[in-house]
Every structure is written in structure tokens, then in C-alpha cells.
């Protein structure tokens, strides 16, 4: 990371909306019989409503099974996150273990911009990406700067990409001892682990793994990336920046998600924080808004892109920051592991959802966005209109109802976690109805 200077009712919704049921049957009557010219209209209406009800239930269960499968896929990936792999990467990037560069064993004893080992670090990162089956690219800028990145194209939306990134350079006095374990070999280990685990997976969206140089000189690498990268071919959906995720001296597992009102960055932060509970990762997360601008996500903010930063707790900040003593011996290994799990879960959750969107459709004034979903019961609902929100069980029983206002609303629906899923129906002030299914995890 660069220095700071640089209601309660038994009435069923179907009865409310469509009128009383008198014929409760699952048999299908030919449409020609229903639409017989001598048949009263209310009979036609009842049969039509029954078919609509069946269709809606099928659609809800389809969504549920899709999200359940998505959750299982992400869980399977998270089970493969390996702490030894993370520490192995940090050890090599900080000179504890040797690396092989062009057939010769070398020690990365410093990653300051004008030190030769910093170039070795870039080569090591590129070699690791190549070993995983990617085609690494070097992006040169100024006299010494070099970003390293690799692209894994999506199979449905190859022109829409999610980025996971970290800076690999470091700073300390003396410059030839800038080992930078926490700042930021820790973040690099997370990006490498994501690349390792996702190399054989298929995603609808493109994934980009990036290592930035010269962050410590004022985000020079990430700014160059935003100037030079081919965004016409790969539009950026969101950026996950990892910086200083290994130090947790008081072992409280507190970490921060930094965001600001650029593009959909606030919405992204609000959506991903719930994944910590969904996948039982075990961090104590908070959202910082306005977040710091002192790391590479800010270069994306400044070009109008959606981005967040994952970083350790400011109240327990690394006391060896920007010194030669920033070593992995001061890591909380479990904290590093959990941060990487959270970052990979966030990346995979969005990149694996072909129907995902990070924006509210401005053409639908009442369509609410619910996040996180799945959830432990504490959620946010964001809508263009206020109105009356009703919460239904899947069998149609009204559980509760209360007014909501336009914009973000914090909801506590944890009392119904045991149900697995509920339907949220917003009757907007304009009179329109919109429904969402909320999946609740115990």
C-alpha cells in the first residue's frame, strides 16, 4: 500500500392479488375448454391464475437450484485454497526461499523499483502464471516499470471482465532491504492462488489477474494499466484489489472493504460483505466509505470503474509498515488464509453468475435489488421507489410487512432463516408490484 501522503397476517398473497380460490387442483384442462364461449369469465380467470401460479413457483425453484449449484461450485473452489501455497509464494517473494530466473537461482532480497530483484519478482510472477497454463503479458511503462497480467476469457461474455489484482513492488529504508511481506507479497499470494485454482474452471465472464509495479511511487503501475489496457476488448465489470492482508497482531480477524461512490463500487462492497457469512469464512468485516485512495483500486475509481480494496484493520495496522522488518514471521497465517478465501469467493460469485448485474435498471422504477443474496438474514434492499414490503413464506403465508423508503433499506429477516428462502414483494408507491426471492443460510 502506498503511503497516505501520496405485520402479521395469515392472508395468502395469491388470495390478495387474484381473489379467492374455489377450485384447488393441479390437473390441466385443455385451453379450448377453458376458453369456451359459454364459460363464465371468472372460471377462465381462475384457470389462468392457477397456471401463472405454477409458472411462478417453477421459476422460483429454478432460481433456487441455480443459486444452490453456484454456491456449491464456489465452496468446492474454496476447499482447495491452500495455506502452504500462499506462504510458499510469500517466502519466495521476500527472499526466504530462492527462485529460479533464467535457469539461475536468485534471492529476491528487495522489491524496490530500482533494485534488480524487483525485476526478478516480475519474472517469477510471470513464470508462475505460465506454469498454471496462462499466457502472461508484460506491460512496460516509464524507465523501469513493468506490470504483469494474464487473461482467462469467459465462455459467455468474453468482452466483460472481472479483475483481481495486487502490487508486487515494495519500499523500505534501506531500499535494498524492501522485502515487503505484508505490503504486498500477501496480496500477490492471493492473486497467484486465485490463478492456480481457477485455471481449469469455466466462467461466463473473463478473469484478469494483474500484478502492478511502482504502486509505492504513487500508483504508477495501475495508472499505466488504465491508460494502456485494451478496454474496448475487455470492459471491466469490477476490480478486487488486495493490499496488506497478512498482519493481524491482536488476532481479531478484522479486515476492511474500502469503497467510494464511483460507478457501482458501493453496491459491490455491500453485496460481497455477506459472502463472509454465506461461506463461513470467519472474518470480521467492515465497509469503509469513503475508503482510502492509497492503493491501486483508486486508479480504477479515477477512470470511472467499479472497484473495492480488501485490507487489514486500520486500528491494528502493521507496525513494520514500510520498514525492512515487514516479514512474514509477523503474519497471522489464518488471517491471510481467510482474506484470500474471501477475495476468491467474491471473484467467483460474480464471475460465475451469467445473469449477474451490478446496477439497478433505471428503466424499472420499482425493481428492488436485494444484497447479499444468499444471506444470513441481514440484508439491504435498494429501490428507486418506496412503498410497502411484504415478506412471504414459499407456501404463500404472509410473515410480516412494513414500509420502506426509496434508496437503501437495511432489513433484519434472520427470524426466518430456518425457512431457507422467502419471497419479498414490494408494492411500490406507483402501484406496481415487484418480487424477489431471498435465500437464507443458517
Amino acid at each position: 500500500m502506498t503511503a497516505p501522503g501520496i405485520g402479521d397476517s395469515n392472508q395468502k398473497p395469491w388470495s390478495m392479488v387474484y381473489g379467492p380460490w374455489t377450485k384447488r387442483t393441479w390437473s390441466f384442462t385443455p385451453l379450448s375448454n377453458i376458453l369456451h364461449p359459454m364459460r363464465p369469465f371468472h372460471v377462465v380467470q381462475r384457470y389462468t391464475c392457477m397456471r401463472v401460479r405454477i409458472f411462478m413457483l417453477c421459476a422460483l425453484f429454478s432460481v433456487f437450484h441455480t443459486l444452490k449449484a453456484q454456491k456449491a461450485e464456489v465452496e468446492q473452489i474454496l476447499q482447495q485454497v491452500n495455506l502452504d501455497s500462499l506462504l510458499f509464494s510469500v517466502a519466495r517473494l521476500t527472499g526466504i526461499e530462492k527462485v529460479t530466473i533464467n535457469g539461475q537461482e536468485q534471492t529476491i532480497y528487495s522489491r524496490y523499483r530500482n533494485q534488480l530483484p524487483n525485476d526478478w519478482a516480475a519474472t517469477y510472477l510471470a513464470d508462475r502464471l505460465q506454469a498454471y497454463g496462462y499466457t502472461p503479458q508484460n506491460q512496460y511503462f516509464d524507465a523501469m516499470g513493468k506490470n504483469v497480467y494474464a487473461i482467462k476469457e469467459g465462455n459467455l461474455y468474453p468482452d466483460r471482465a472481472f479483475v483481481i489484482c495486487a502490487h508486487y513492488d515494495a519500499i523500505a529504508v534501506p531500499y535494498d532491504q524492501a522485502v515487503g511481506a505484508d505490503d504486498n507479497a500477501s496480496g500477490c499470494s492471493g492473486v497467484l492462488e486465485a490463478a492456480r485454482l481457477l485455471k481449469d474452471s469455466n466462467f461466463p465472464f473473463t478473469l484478469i489477474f494483474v500484478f502492478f509495479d511502482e504502486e509505492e511511487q504513487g500508483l504508477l503501475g495501475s495508472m499505466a494499466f488504465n491508460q494502456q489496457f485494451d478496454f474496448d476488448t475487455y470492459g471491466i465489470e469490477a476490480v478486487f484489489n488486495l493490499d496488506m492482508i497478512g498482519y493481524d497482531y491482536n488476532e481479531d480477524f478484522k479486515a476492511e472493504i474500502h469503497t467510494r461512490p464511483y460507478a457501482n463500487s458501493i453496491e459491490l462492497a455491500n453485496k460481497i460483505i455477506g459472502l463472509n457469512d454465506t461461506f463461513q469464512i470467519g472474518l470480521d468485516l467492515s465497509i469503509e466509505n469513503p475508503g482510502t485512495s492509497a492503493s491501486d483500486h483508486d486508479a480504477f475509481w479515477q477512470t470511472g470503474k467499479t472497484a473495492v480494496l480488501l485490507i487489514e484493520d486500520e486500528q491494528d495496522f502493521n507496525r513494520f509498515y514500510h520498514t525492512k522488518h515487514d516479514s512474514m514471521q509477523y503474519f497471522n497465517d489464518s488471517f491471510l488464509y481467510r482474506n484470500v478465501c474471501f477475495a476468491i469467493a467474491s471473484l467467483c460469485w460474480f464471475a460465475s453468475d451469467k445473469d449477474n448485474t451490478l446496477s439497478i435498471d433505471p428503466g424499472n422504477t420499482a425493481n428492488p435489488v436485494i444484497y447479499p443474496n444468499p444471506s444470513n438474514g441481514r440484508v439491504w434492499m435498494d429501490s428507486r421507489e418506496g412503498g410497502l414490503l411484504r415478506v412471504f413464506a414459499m407456501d404463500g403465508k404472509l410473515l410480516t410487512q412494513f414500509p420502506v423508503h426509496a434508496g437503501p433499506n437495511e432489513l433484519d429477516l434472520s427470524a426466518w432463516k430456518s425457512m431457507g428462502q422467502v419471497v419479498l414483494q414490494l408494492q411500490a408507491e406507483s402501484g406496481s408490484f415487484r418480487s424477489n426471492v431471498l435465500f437464507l443460510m443458517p
Side-chain angles (χ1 to χ4, degrees):
M1 180 178 182
T2 194
I6 307 270
D8 181 69
S9 169
N10 291 322
Q11 189 175 22
K12 301 190 182 344
W14 312 107
S15 301
M16 290 193 308
V17 176
Y18 299 118
W21 273 115
T22 57
K23 185 176 181 63
R24 301 179 182 272
T25 176
W26 294 99
S27 61
F28 288 91
T29 303
L31 188 61
S32 59
N33 290 352
I34 297 175
L35 300 180
H36 191 279
M38 298 302 293
R39 192 174 297 281
F41 175 74
H42 72 275
V43 176
V44 177
Q45 185 183 40
R46 287 171 186 160
Y47 277 104
T48 303
C49 291
M50 179 181 70
R51 292 191 171 192
V52 169
R53 184 180 184 183
I54 294 171
F55 174 79
M56 291 182 67
L57 286 173
C58 290
L60 292 178
F61 282 114
S62 175
V63 172
F64 171 73
H65 287 298
T66 299
L67 281 178
K68 186 176 180 180
Q70 183 185 0
K71 180 174 182 288
E73 291 173 0
V74 176
E75 285 177 334
Q76 186 176 17
I77 292 171
L78 295 182
Q79 289 170 2
Q80 301 175 61
V81 177
N82 188 288
L83 178 59
D84 288 338
S85 175
L86 298 172
L87 296 178
F88 175 80
S89 298
V90 175
R92 291 198 160 189
L93 286 168
T94 58
I96 295 176
E97 297 285 343
K98 293 184 180 293
V99 297
T100 301
I101 305 297
N102 298 323
Q104 300 291 321
E105 283 196 341
Q106 306 288 357
T107 299
I108 302 176
Y109 55 82
S110 175
R111 298 195 314 280
Y112 186 68
R113 68 188 294 259
N114 66 359
Q115 300 290 307
L116 179 59
N118 190 49
D119 193 55
W120 295 342
T123 301
Y124 167 71
L125 294 169
D127 288 348
R128 289 286 296 276
L129 290 172
Q130 188 169 33
Y132 297 150
Y134 299 96
T135 303
Q137 303 290 324
N138 292 327
Q139 184 186 65
Y140 297 92
F141 60 96
D142 68 39
M144 291 174 288
K146 180 169 64 176
N147 296 327
V148 179
Y149 67 92
I151 298 173
K152 178 180 177 60
E153 288 205 347
N155 57 19
L156 190 59
Y157 306 115
D159 58 337
R160 299 166 62 186
F162 288 90
V163 174
I164 183 168
C165 61
H167 75 88
Y168 70 87
D169 66 310
I171 190 170
V173 177
Y175 292 150
D176 63 356
Q177 296 182 45
V179 293
D182 189 32
D183 187 15
N184 184 35
S186 63
C188 292
S189 73
V191 177
L192 281 175
E193 188 71 354
R196 182 182 74 85
L197 295 180
L198 306 182
K199 58 183 172 59
D200 295 323
S201 300
N202 293 315
F203 290 91
F205 296 90
T206 290
L207 306 181
I208 305 178
F209 309 92
V210 192
F211 302 94
F212 295 118
D213 195 6
E214 298 190 8
E215 185 263 6
E216 302 292 4
Q217 283 66 47
L219 318 184
L220 299 184
S222 52
M223 289 194 298
F225 185 86
N226 276 274
Q227 292 168 1
Q228 298 179 25
F229 188 73
D230 184 8
F231 293 111
D232 291 333
T233 301
Y234 301 105
I236 302 301
E237 293 288 305
V239 176
F240 302 92
N241 180 33
L242 313 184
D243 198 349
M244 303 181 66
I245 56 173
Y247 183 87
D248 180 33
Y249 182 76
N250 60 15
E251 298 184 347
D252 60 3
F253 295 96
K254 288 185 177 181
E256 299 173 349
I257 303 169
H258 285 236
T259 187
R260 286 192 183 189
Y262 292 98
N264 298 307
S265 300
I266 294 176
E267 182 183 350
L268 177 62
N270 286 330
K271 284 187 173 182
I272 65 174
I273 194 169
L275 298 177
N276 180 52
D277 292 328
T278 298
F279 296 105
Q280 300 179 353
I281 292 170
L283 290 171
D284 184 356
L285 288 169
S286 63
I287 294 177
E288 301 298 318
N289 177 27
T292 181
S293 60
S295 190
D296 291 306
H297 59 284
D298 185 61
F300 292 89
W301 284 349
Q302 297 306 318
T303 53
K305 299 180 181 67
T306 298
V308 292
L309 164 70
L310 179 63
I311 192 170
E312 61 204 31
D313 180 21
E314 184 180 9
Q315 302 306 313
D316 185 25
F317 204 68
N318 194 326
R319 53 182 169 163
F320 304 111
Y321 172 67
H322 285 183
T323 75
K324 65 181 182 179
H325 303 296
D326 181 6
S327 167
M328 64 184 293
Q329 68 175 303
Y330 300 110
F331 274 14
N332 178 339
D333 294 349
S334 183
F335 182 64
L336 171 66
Y337 175 84
R338 296 183 194 192
N339 274 308
V340 172
C341 284
F342 177 72
I344 293 176
S346 300
L347 175 68
C348 292
W349 187 258
F350 282 95
S352 63
D353 183 3
K354 64 181 179 63
D355 298 318
N356 177 64
T357 178
L358 279 172
S359 61
I360 300 172
D361 180 3
N364 194 340
T365 58
N367 189 29
V369 174
I370 309 295
Y371 52 89
N373 190 5
S375 165
N376 65 352
R378 300 190 68 87
V379 299
W380 287 85
M381 186 192 79
D382 205 342
S383 176
R384 297 279 179 165
E385 281 191 85
L388 181 65
L389 184 69
R390 298 184 178 95
V391 182
F392 296 104
M394 294 302 290
D395 63 1
K397 179 181 179 180
L398 178 65
L399 303 174
T400 186
Q401 61 182 15
F402 46 85
V404 293
H405 55 76
N409 295 261
E410 187 174 12
L411 313 177
D412 185 0
L413 306 177
S414 55
W416 297 285
K417 284 197 298 185
S418 61
M419 292 188 171
Q421 65 262 21
V422 294
V423 177
L424 306 184
Q425 182 192 72
L426 174 63
Q427 181 178 3
E429 294 164 347
S430 63
S432 61
F433 287 84
R434 293 293 183 271
S435 298
N436 294 66
V437 180
L438 174 65
F439 298 93
L440 298 168
M441 301 298 176

